Amino acid sequence: MTKNLYPPFGLAQYHRNRHDNNAIERCMRNVAVGRKNYLFCGSHDAAQRAGLLYSLLVTCKLNNVNPYNWLKDVLSRDINEMPINQIKTLLPYNWKEQ
């Protein structure tokens, strides 16, 4: 009798119209796995360096920059010879592949 009174609320109807959050959960998986792994950096300074590197690599990903090519190019340059006003060109969102 209840089925006839409230047909849109049946289980089959729920499965047909449900909203899926798997895409956001897949994006957040890296954060959850990383949070567990960051506990084992060895020291506070090492954890800060790892966080800095991870944030730069994620910035590469967000700006469609290949992290390997960016890191290889930046580390191969002699940064001591670069003028201080051009250092920002090495950041992933300003970097251009040559």
Side-chain angles (χ1 to χ4, degrees), residues 73-84 87 90:
D73 180 48
V74 169
L75 294 177
S76 68
R77 295 181 187 220
D78 187 12
I79 297 177
N80 290 331
E81 299 296 322
M82 183 173 272
I84 193 69
I87 293 293
L90 299 179

Side-chain angles (χ1 to χ4, degrees), residues 17-72:
N17 295 326
R18 70 178 188 180
H19 296 284
D20 190 12
N21 67 345
N22 285 336
I24 191 67
E25 286 183 5
R26 281 191 302 273
C27 291
M28 297 300 294
R29 180 170 169 70
N30 295 337
V31 174
V33 171
R35 191 179 316 128
K36 181 179 175 187
N37 293 336
Y38 302 147
L39 295 173
F40 303 103
C41 284
S43 70
H44 184 68
D45 292 336
Q48 285 182 331
R49 287 190 292 270
L52 177 69
L53 185 60
Y54 282 124
S55 65
L56 287 171
L57 294 177
V58 169
T59 304
C60 285
K61 184 177 177 181
L62 291 174
N63 289 291
N64 296 322
V65 172
N66 184 335
Y68 176 78
N69 291 342
W70 171 76
L71 198 57
K72 182 179 170 186

